[in-house]
Amino acid sequence: MPKAAKAKTNTTKSQSNPLGARSANVPKKAPSRNSKAAQEKPSPSSNDLQPTSAPDNSAAQDERTETSHNTPSTSRQDDERNYLLHVMNTLTSDPAITRILSIPPSLTFGTLHHVLQIAFGWAGCHSWSWSIEVSTPVNDSGRNDSSRRKISLPKTVMVLNPGHSVDMDLGDTDVQDENRWTLRDVFEKKEWDGTAVASGAELQIIYEYDHGDSWEHQITLLGRAEKGLHSALTGLPVEKAQKVLCISGEGHPCAEDCGSAPGWEDLKKEFKKQRGGDKDLREWYKHQCANGDSKGLDPYKWDLMDVNADLETIKI
């Protein structure tokens, strides 16, 4: 994974948790910058929905599954080329932290969580959730016809959570298990890629990590990767090339527990100073931050090869 300038984080070959020991880190908060510490919100969840992949022999349950929009739909499986995804940490700038990833359509959101932890250099210290949003363009009613502009109104159509936290009632919002839904189930769900897209709507996925600092990662589908892309980039035969790959990106990983966007900006400024400044903050990042680095912080520095080496631990 990218280092918080070159520090390597332990990974394992385990399919259940490709991040291995990283999820056991107990982070220490950055020194206060005259603001109250953010309180973590619980991940939304629900237990009143049953995924189609779960065994179910009752006629009543079958009927509910056929009529419900809350289950993975029958999707097109004739195109197995990887999705090309543009992922951006929306709370970052100068530089905006982005990654372009090549991901198999069959990958579950539970596994995609591990991919994003590696690609963005997180240490697995906090909770997370997914929001599936459909944005529909409408006219701005506050303007007259001659100057009226189009605005996009996003609507959350589904929330995906880890399997242990799908028991919270969010009203009309569907809550599902991230391990029962694949990228194909979402990007090719008829209710969202048919009528919605035909009318000009846009589908996007939001991955929120750390419900205290609320790091939102916006995921946009760019298209499909050519079948020989991974082989060309890795120099390996198609059958041996790794299935999940980071193609490009920008920006050093954010520091865990730095205090969201304002804290991240403060931290970057501290490491730009030649002398003086907040020594305690710099020492915290070097020696106590869960994904910090003793050598300091360069906001533009990250290592594509390190990311892809860690992504090899992802099992499909």
Side-chain angles (χ1 to χ4, degrees):
M1 73 178 275
K3 313 169 180 131
K6 279 274 181 190
K8 208 58 163 144
T9 307
N10 292 333
T11 59
T12 70
K13 296 288 183 177
S14 167
Q15 180 176 4
S16 60
N17 184 4
L19 297 181
R22 286 190 291 187
S23 60
N25 289 335
V26 179
K28 296 183 180 180
K29 290 287 184 180
S32 173
R33 304 284 290 180
N34 298 322
S35 62
K36 294 183 179 179
Q39 298 296 319
E40 285 212 11
K41 306 177 288 187
S43 296
S45 51
S46 170
N47 65 354
D48 28 5
L49 300 175
Q50 296 293 328
T52 53
S53 55
D56 190 349
N57 297 321
S58 80
Q61 190 73 11
D62 288 343
E63 181 179 356
R64 184 180 70 174
T65 301
E66 291 175 1
T67 59
S68 173
H69 295 295
N70 303 325
T71 55
S73 59
T74 301
S75 54
R76 299 184 295 274
Q77 300 190 27
D78 55 336
D79 192 346
E80 293 298 330
R81 291 178 300 164
N82 274 18
Y83 290 133
L84 289 176
L85 304 180
H86 178 273
V87 189
M88 178 177 66
N89 186 327
T90 61
L91 296 184
T92 61
S93 60
D94 192 27
I97 302 174
T98 60
R99 303 289 185 262
I100 295 180
L101 303 170
S102 178
I103 307 289
S106 60
L107 200 77
T108 67
F109 282 86
T111 303
L112 183 59
H113 157 70
H114 297 302
V115 171
L116 296 183
Q117 287 283 299
I118 291 172
F120 283 83
W122 295 116
C125 301
H126 300 283
S127 58
W128 67 93
S129 61
W130 309 85
S131 296
I132 315 301
E133 297 182 351
V134 173
S135 299
T136 305
V138 297
N139 285 326
D140 183 357
S141 58
R143 298 172 178 264
N144 58 38
D145 291 338
S146 61
S147 62
R148 185 171 294 173
R149 60 187 175 88
K150 291 284 186 179
I151 59 175
S152 186
L153 298 179
K155 177 184 178 182
T156 300
V157 294
M158 186 170 67
V159 168
L160 296 173
N161 280 342
H164 60 78
S165 58
V166 291
D167 57 355
M168 182 178 289
D169 185 5
L170 294 181
D172 294 334
T173 303
D174 302 337
V175 182
Q176 297 290 307
D177 183 345
E178 65 175 7
N179 294 308
R180 299 295 182 89
W181 283 72
T182 67
L183 286 169
R184 178 188 285 116
D185 290 330
V186 169
F187 283 124
E188 300 182 30
K189 187 173 174 66
K190 293 181 179 179
E191 289 86 348
W192 302 333
D193 79 338
T195 304
V197 173
S199 64
E202 296 181 354
L203 174 69
Q204 70 179 16
I205 301 170
I206 302 296
Y207 168 71
E208 182 177 351
Y209 171 67
D210 183 353
H211 293 102
D213 284 354
S214 298
W215 295 109
E216 289 192 351
H217 304 68
Q218 184 181 73
I219 302 172
T220 305
L221 176 62
L222 298 178
R224 297 271 193 168
E226 292 301 322
K227 290 184 178 179
L229 176 64
H230 289 206
S231 178
L233 292 175
T234 63
L236 297 172
V238 173
E239 64 274 10
K240 293 185 178 180
Q242 66 189 80
K243 305 302 182 184
V244 178
L245 203 65
C246 183
I247 307 298
S248 64
E250 184 179 32
H252 189 285
C254 279
E256 292 271 9
D257 301 294
C258 65
S260 195
W264 177 237
E265 291 303 315
D266 286 344
L267 191 61
K268 290 192 296 182
K269 289 176 184 177
E270 285 301 325
F271 279 96
K272 287 181 180 179
K273 296 176 181 179
Q274 298 297 320
R275 63 185 64 181
D278 190 338
K279 181 179 179 180
D280 288 342
L281 185 59
R282 293 194 298 271
E283 289 299 306
W284 168 82
Y285 176 75
K286 289 180 179 180
H287 305 295
Q288 293 181 305
C289 179
N291 61 344
D293 179 27
S294 60
K295 296 180 180 180
L297 171 62
D298 178 349
Y300 288 87
K301 188 175 182 179
W302 73 289
D303 195 314
L304 176 65
M305 294 183 66
D306 282 353
V307 169
N308 282 323
D310 284 344
L311 287 176
E312 288 191 83
T313 64
I314 300 295
K315 303 299 181 182
I316 308 300

